[in-house]
Every structure is written in C-alpha cells, then in structure tokens.
C-alpha cells in the first residue's frame, strides 16, 4: 500500500479517507503521522510532508480526516467531543491500516489536540513522541472571536471559494468545524486532563501572534505534564508555524527527532 508520493485510499469502517505517504515504509523506518488543523487536508500541508521525509529519513504519512479534503463527508452536526472521538476511535484504526510500527504524531491546531488526546488516552508504545503545533486544550475568547470572523468571511467573502479548492464538500468541512466550536456549550470544552497521562517527550510550537490561542495553551502543557516538554515560540508567526515559518519549524522537528533517536539508541544499549 505504501507508495512514495502517491495518493492512497483507506477504508476505515466503510468510510473512505484519502492518504499520502512519503519516504520509507513503516517496516523500514520510523513514521511521522501528520494530523491537520480544523479546516485542513492533505493538500493544505503543501510541501511540508515531502520536505520532512527528505531531511529526516523518516517515513511521513498525512491523511484527511472524515469531512475534509477528498475523504468522505462527515455526519453533521459533529458531536462536541469530536476530537476525542477522532483520537480514540478513528486514529488507532488509521495507524493499524498503514502498518504503523514506531514513530511520532505531529498535529496542528485541532490535529494537535487529537494527538494530545491520543497520547494521554491510548496506551500505544509505538508512539515515541508528540509534536503539538498551536494546540488547543480549552477554549479562549480570542480563538472563538477568530472563528466568528472566519464564519463571516466564509458566508460573505472569498473564504468559501478558497477552501473549495481543497475540499470536495467545502460546506461539510467548514460548518462541521465552525458550528461545533461556536456552539454555546463548546465554551466549556476542556481536555487538560489528558496532559498528565502523556508518557512521551513533547515538542510544542506556537506562533507569538497566533490568532486562535494564547500562550496559556502552552503553559497548561508545561505546568501539567510529568514528561519533558520543549517549547518554541516563533516570532512573526500566527496560527500556522509550518506555513508561516516553514524552515524554522522544519529545523525544530529535525532536532527533536534526532533527540528521540538518541533516546531510543540508549534504551537499546541498556536493554
């Protein structure tokens, strides 16, 4: 199934998800699994997966969750715990489907929250580390206000047309995300409880000018984690570090993965 650079289709519980892989297959190298943001898809990672595979020697797998990209539409409205469902129900099946053996989850925004939930809720010794870019652990007024702005731009501006290039059912993608976050009950959404149960090293990356979350998200991770947490706050960067500061973000990931390799090598020597 693994075919470098090619689009593939996963059938997960009769739901078709698009995926794309780069670099070596999971049986010959560790794998980075990319989890996209709330309006993301494979295509919106741009050339980041290919570059990451090239400079690290890791395999890289990206997929569009249900409701995004060319994957099957989601059933709307999404439940307000949809990120937990993605982490504990859908993601384990995706990892098994690609033959995941060892590696790292790299998530952005919603995808970072899903990665954190997985790390703190699912006992999976194959996962060696987490990279959380602009994660959300709870709602903030600034983030909700930015989503309100995005909804207005979608309904009256050019955002719908722009996103339509990346999602085969753009209304399903947008309203599945925005309607959940802007539901009045979602203000109480909080997943901080998973932080204390994460048992692998974490790299957290956030833009100083992130319009969807403040440094309070990162501080929650730093203060509540019992495992190592490295933090990089990127200047001149908003919500998308891998898009706005791609070279710095790539360098951070390369350094992090090298450190994980050293940790694994040390474990092997003492085993």
């Amino acid at each position: 199934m693994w075919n470098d650079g090619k689009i593939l289709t996963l059938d997960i519980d009769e739901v078709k998800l698009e995926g794309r892989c780069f670099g070596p297959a999971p049986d010959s190298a560790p794998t980075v699994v990319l989890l996209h943001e709330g309006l993301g898809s494979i295509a919106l990672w741009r050339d980041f997966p290919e570059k990451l595979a090239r400079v690290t020697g890791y395999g890289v797998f990206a997929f569009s969750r249900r409701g995004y990209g060319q994957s099957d539409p989601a059933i709307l409205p999404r439940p307000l715990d949809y990120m937990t469902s993605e982490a504990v129900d859908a993601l384990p099946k995706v990892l098994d489907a690609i033959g995941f053996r060892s590696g790292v989850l790299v998530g952005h925004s919603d995808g970072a929250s899903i990665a954190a939930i997985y790390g703190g809720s699912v006992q999976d010794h194959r996962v060696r580390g987490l990279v959380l870019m602009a994660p959300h652990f709870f709602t903030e007024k600034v983030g909700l206000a930015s989503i309100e702005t995005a909804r207005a731009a979608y309904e009256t501006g050019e955002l719908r047309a722009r996103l339509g290039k990346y999602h085969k059912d753009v209304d399903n993608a947008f309203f599945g995300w925005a309607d959940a976050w802007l539901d009045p009950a979602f203000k109480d959404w909080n997943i901080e409880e998973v932080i204390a149960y994460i048992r692998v090293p974490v790299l957290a990356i956030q833009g100083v000018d992130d319009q969807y979350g403040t440094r309070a998200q990162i501080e929650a991770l730093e203060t509540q984690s019992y495992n190592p947490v490295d933090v990089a706050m990127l200047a001149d960067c908003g919500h998308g570090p891998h898009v706005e500061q791609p070279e710095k973000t790539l360098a951070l990931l390369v350094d992090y993965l090298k450190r994980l390799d050293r940790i694994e090598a040390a474990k092997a020597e003492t085993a």
Side-chain angles (χ1 to χ4, degrees), residues 186-205:
F186 200 78
K187 290 180 180 179
D188 296 327
W189 176 81
N190 187 304
I191 59 165
E192 287 178 275
E193 71 273 9
V194 305
I195 295 173
Y197 294 96
I198 295 173
R199 291 291 180 263
V200 293
V202 176
L203 169 62
I205 305 172

Side-chain angles (χ1 to χ4, degrees), residues 159-254:
L159 183 57
R160 186 178 189 277
R162 294 206 308 270
L163 289 175
K165 300 174 184 177
Y166 303 105
H167 305 288
K168 69 176 181 180
D169 189 337
V170 65
D171 287 343
N172 188 268
F174 185 84
F175 291 114
W177 167 74
D179 287 354
W181 274 87
L182 296 177
D183 186 302
F186 200 78
K187 290 180 180 179
D188 296 327
W189 176 81
N190 187 304
I191 59 165
E192 287 178 275
E193 71 273 9
V194 305
I195 295 173
Y197 294 96
I198 295 173
R199 291 291 180 263
V200 293
V202 176
L203 169 62
I205 305 172
Q206 187 177 34
V208 172
D209 304 316
D210 191 337
Q211 65 272 37
Y212 286 95
T214 71
R215 203 187 190 287
Q217 304 288 339
I218 304 300
E219 289 170 354
L221 181 63
E222 289 179 297
T223 58
Q224 298 180 49
S225 177
Y226 292 96
N227 264 41
V229 175
D230 291 325
V231 173
M233 298 296 298
L234 301 184
D236 301 317
C237 183
H239 191 57
H242 61 293
V243 175
E244 300 172 56
Q245 295 284 357
E247 297 308 318
K248 289 182 180 179
T249 301
L250 199 61
L252 287 165
L253 264 68
V254 169

Side-chain angles (χ1 to χ4, degrees), residues 8-212:
L8 55 88
T9 300
L10 303 179
D11 195 330
I12 307 295
D13 293 336
E14 300 183 349
V15 175
K16 289 182 170 52
L17 305 178
E18 67 164 347
R20 194 175 185 189
C21 44
F22 298 90
D27 61 356
S28 57
T31 306
V32 171
V33 177
L34 297 176
L35 304 170
H36 63 72
E37 63 182 306
L39 290 176
S41 67
I42 289 175
L44 283 164
W45 284 107
R46 298 179 173 85
D47 62 353
F48 188 76
E50 186 175 10
K51 286 183 176 179
L52 185 60
R54 187 169 62 247
V55 300
T56 63
Y58 277 48
V60 177
F61 179 75
F63 71 102
S64 298
R65 296 190 297 276
R66 186 176 187 181
Y68 298 102
Q70 305 307 305
S71 295
D72 284 351
I75 297 172
L76 301 186
R78 287 186 182 274
L80 301 189
D81 64 347
Y82 72 91
M83 284 180 269
T84 296
S85 296
E86 287 287 352
V88 303
D89 297 328
L91 183 54
K93 296 171 184 176
V94 171
L95 297 180
D96 289 345
I98 66 170
F100 183 77
R101 295 188 178 188
S102 174
V104 175
L105 303 182
V106 177
H108 173 225
S109 193
D110 274 20
S113 301
I114 292 167
I117 296 169
Y118 190 91
S121 302
V122 179
Q123 189 175 37
D124 187 347
H125 298 296
R126 300 173 299 178
V127 175
R128 296 162 51 184
L130 304 176
V131 178
L132 309 180
M133 297 191 291
H136 305 291
F137 295 103
F138 47 85
T139 60
E140 294 182 277
K141 289 182 179 179
V142 64
L144 297 177
S146 292
I147 296 172
E148 289 276 15
T149 299
R151 184 164 67 179
Y154 186 86
E155 293 175 338
T156 63
E158 299 178 355
L159 183 57
R160 186 178 189 277
R162 294 206 308 270
L163 289 175
K165 300 174 184 177
Y166 303 105
H167 305 288
K168 69 176 181 180
D169 189 337
V170 65
D171 287 343
N172 188 268
F174 185 84
F175 291 114
W177 167 74
D179 287 354
W181 274 87
L182 296 177
D183 186 302
F186 200 78
K187 290 180 180 179
D188 296 327
W189 176 81
N190 187 304
I191 59 165
E192 287 178 275
E193 71 273 9
V194 305
I195 295 173
Y197 294 96
I198 295 173
R199 291 291 180 263
V200 293
V202 176
L203 169 62
I205 305 172
Q206 187 177 34
V208 172
D209 304 316
D210 191 337
Q211 65 272 37
Y212 286 95

